[in-house]
Amino acid sequence: MDVKGVHIETHPREGEPLVRAGRPDPCTVVLFGATGDLAQRKLFPALFELDRAGLLPEHFAVVAFSRSALDDTAFRAHVKAGLEKFARTQPLDEATWQRFAPRLEGVSGAYDDPQSFVRLRERLTQVSQKQKTGDNQLYYLATPASTFPQILKGLADSGLLTRQTDPGHHPWRRLVIEKPFGHDLESAKALNRELFSVLDERQIFRIDHYLGKETVQNILVFRFANAIFEPLWNRQHIDHVEITAAETIGVEGRGGFYDETGVIRDMVQNHLLQVLALCAMEPPVSFGAEDIRDEKNKVFRALRPVEGTDVADHVVVGQYQGYAQEKGVKPGSRTPTYVALRMHVDSWRWQGVPFYVRAGKNLKRRMTEVSIHFKSVPVGLFSGEGATCQRLQPNVLTLRIQPREGIALSFESKVPGEDVNIAGVTMDFNYAESFAKPVPEAYERLLLDCMRGNATLFARQDSVEQAWAYVTPILRAIESGEGGSVHTYAPGSAGPEAAASLMARSGRRWTPL
């Protein structure tokens, strides 16, 4: 591939994969909230794409539990209409649809009605026999968090969900829970207690779609499969780490939900802390799920607490102009739509290296990326006459999560000619172009892993609670006003100016949006 004078070749290794994903077990996916936005935009398109690619188990079914009264024909028509808008490959592959449609069935009922769960159990028995799914069941809660306890009780009381401590147990029962996983530390602990009253930790899959992104998974391979980077991945060579998740859209008609959540709960507590953990963790003893999750949890435990009046020194929050007029937003709301944080991981590897994290809505550009900023060269070899205007820029390694998924590395080079002129060069690798294949959607990978029982890309109880333990004091300080002002910023800008000063105090600056 030639891009702007850079030639990039990829050489996939021959032979067996280092870690084989394995075929998923035959199963029935029981989907709660099947007519909702998440199911229509993400879950059904992901399942359809997996079917199109031949990755679903041969014996497979979806039973949708919905409060709307839909018979199977109407439900399938509803799913098809969604696929025609949101499926990854268009136009819709009719042959795949003819194979996929008979696998979809619907049950209507109420979450607080025991008889509804009895009807669900009867339908699941019929589906298991008809589709030969071996009575393996994956329950997916694509519903508001307030409904989780009701649904969990209905499934437990009807005998559909039971505790299984043996990971190899068949037929198996697993539960997938969407974020937000709690509202603060106490509610997260309460939800975990509810789950553990019915299930074993190994049956619970707390889903975070960021961890399903190919580029997020590649952070581990990039770090630990390249000997030229791992020796530099520490406080001796890295000046600071920058993690950005910027969106150009506002709250998009979801003002009521967003006003209860805010950017810190929506982005930092789950997505961005998970990305930070992958960048900061120690090498795991294997690529096994628990070994990776153990190392990530150590990072969360090493986060330096920020609370009380310290919050104003480490955190800047903002709200875009016009947010207060969005439908569903409470008058005088202090809910932030932008946040910038200076964080520290107090471990041997990272002592003294700040992690700058920012996320926001209605910003200038859409991008999610990690930038590793290496230290400047220690001696000014190029400080001769007139060289002050040709300042050397430190090397930056950028891991682009979205869009244009890829990796870029900047370094300094001499410009051809008699004089010693220096220019910055960026080598840029793009996934889709280099591997000539589309990057799969996150939910495709995550749904398959649930069916396989592979929990590597899912948040464990201890990590969820550690992340909330870090974030909750910050939220309290901001909500009480102790954590400083909520700054306003213009839609389409880079965020509040106060965020720039968070870095400028130490002579650093954000990567421009």
Side-chain angles (χ1 to χ4, degrees), residues 197-216:
S197 69
V198 177
L199 299 168
D200 185 78
E201 172 66 27
R202 282 169 287 199
Q203 295 173 269
I204 302 164
F205 290 73
R206 299 172 189 83
I207 202 162
D208 179 345
H209 71 272
Y210 258 59
L211 291 179
K213 292 179 183 294
E214 194 72 34
T215 37
V216 172

Side-chain angles (χ1 to χ4, degrees), residues 13-26:
R13 300 282 176 256
E14 293 181 8
E16 290 294 304
L18 295 175
V19 179
R20 186 172 284 285
R23 289 289 292 176
D25 290 337

Side-chain angles (χ1 to χ4, degrees), residues 71-124:
D71 62 26
D72 291 349
T73 306
F75 173 58
R76 288 167 187 163
H78 171 80
V79 171
K80 189 174 188 184
L83 291 173
E84 284 167 344
K85 278 168 74 176
F86 301 115
R88 178 155 68 86
T89 46
Q90 298 286 356
L92 202 65
D93 181 24
E94 193 58 36
T96 302
W97 173 250
Q98 293 304 324
R99 184 172 68 241
F100 187 66
R103 296 174 157 192
L104 306 176
E105 302 198 19
V107 174
S108 58
Y111 300 151
D112 58 354
D113 172 29
Q115 280 306 114
S116 297
F117 287 90
V118 172
R119 286 200 305 278
L120 175 62
R121 188 179 64 207
E122 290 165 356
R123 178 64 73 91
L124 287 172

Side-chain angles (χ1 to χ4, degrees), residues 435-452:
F435 288 107
K437 60 192 291 190
V439 177
E441 281 284 328
Y443 277 100
E444 294 168 27
R445 170 66 189 271
L446 294 171
L447 283 164
L448 276 183
D449 277 356
C450 293
M451 296 176 212
R452 295 178 181 122

Side-chain angles (χ1 to χ4, degrees), residues 190-266:
L191 182 50
N192 276 328
R193 284 194 296 271
E194 294 257 10
L195 291 167
F196 295 148
S197 69
V198 177
L199 299 168
D200 185 78
E201 172 66 27
R202 282 169 287 199
Q203 295 173 269
I204 302 164
F205 290 73
R206 299 172 189 83
I207 202 162
D208 179 345
H209 71 272
Y210 258 59
L211 291 179
K213 292 179 183 294
E214 194 72 34
T215 37
V216 172
Q217 296 167 48
N218 189 49
I219 293 172
L220 288 183
V221 174
F222 183 82
R223 280 190 60 191
F224 300 128
N226 294 296
I228 61 172
F229 292 112
E230 182 53 28
L232 308 180
W233 211 267
N234 54 52
R235 59 193 162 85
Q236 262 88 29
H237 301 281
I238 292 175
D239 178 77
H240 67 284
V241 178
E242 189 184 345
I243 301 174
T244 297
E247 298 177 88
T248 52
I249 58 171
V251 295
E252 300 285 281
R254 298 167 72 230
F257 163 77
Y258 197 86
D259 207 42
E260 292 292 319
T261 310
V263 68
I264 299 175
R265 290 183 176 93
D266 188 44

Side-chain angles (χ1 to χ4, degrees), residues 14 101 115 117 162 172 177 179 312 326 340 393 438 477 494:
E14 293 181 8
Q115 280 306 114
F117 287 90
T162 53
W172 49 254
I177 292 195
K179 76 172 190 76
E326 298 273 13
Q393 294 300 312

Side-chain angles (χ1 to χ4, degrees), residues 237-360:
H237 301 281
I238 292 175
D239 178 77
H240 67 284
V241 178
E242 189 184 345
I243 301 174
T244 297
E247 298 177 88
T248 52
I249 58 171
V251 295
E252 300 285 281
R254 298 167 72 230
F257 163 77
Y258 197 86
D259 207 42
E260 292 292 319
T261 310
V263 68
I264 299 175
R265 290 183 176 93
D266 188 44
M267 292 298 296
V268 177
Q269 182 273 330
N270 40 65
H271 303 329
L272 299 188
L273 284 186
Q274 291 286 342
V275 172
L276 184 150
L278 289 170
C279 294
M281 66 187 264
E282 294 300 316
V285 295
S286 82
F287 246 69
E290 297 314 312
D291 292 331
I292 290 173
R293 301 204 296 180
D294 285 347
E295 294 304 333
K296 281 167 59 180
N297 191 51
K298 289 177 190 174
V299 175
F300 296 136
R301 286 168 56 195
L303 287 173
R304 186 185 300 171
V306 180
E307 45 196 52
T309 51
D310 283 349
V311 171
D313 290 333
H314 290 77
V315 183
V316 171
V317 290
Q319 192 183 87
Y320 65 79
Q321 291 161 2
Y323 172 77
Q325 284 72 54
E326 298 273 13
K327 187 181 173 187
V329 172
K330 295 190 187 98
S333 169
R334 285 178 56 84
T335 300
T337 60
Y338 175 97
V339 66
L341 306 96
R342 183 176 66 245
M343 305 169 66
H344 288 88
V345 179
D346 286 334
S347 65
W348 187 281
R349 182 185 292 263
W350 295 111
Q351 188 63 40
V353 178
F355 284 73
Y356 291 96
V357 176
R358 62 177 166 169

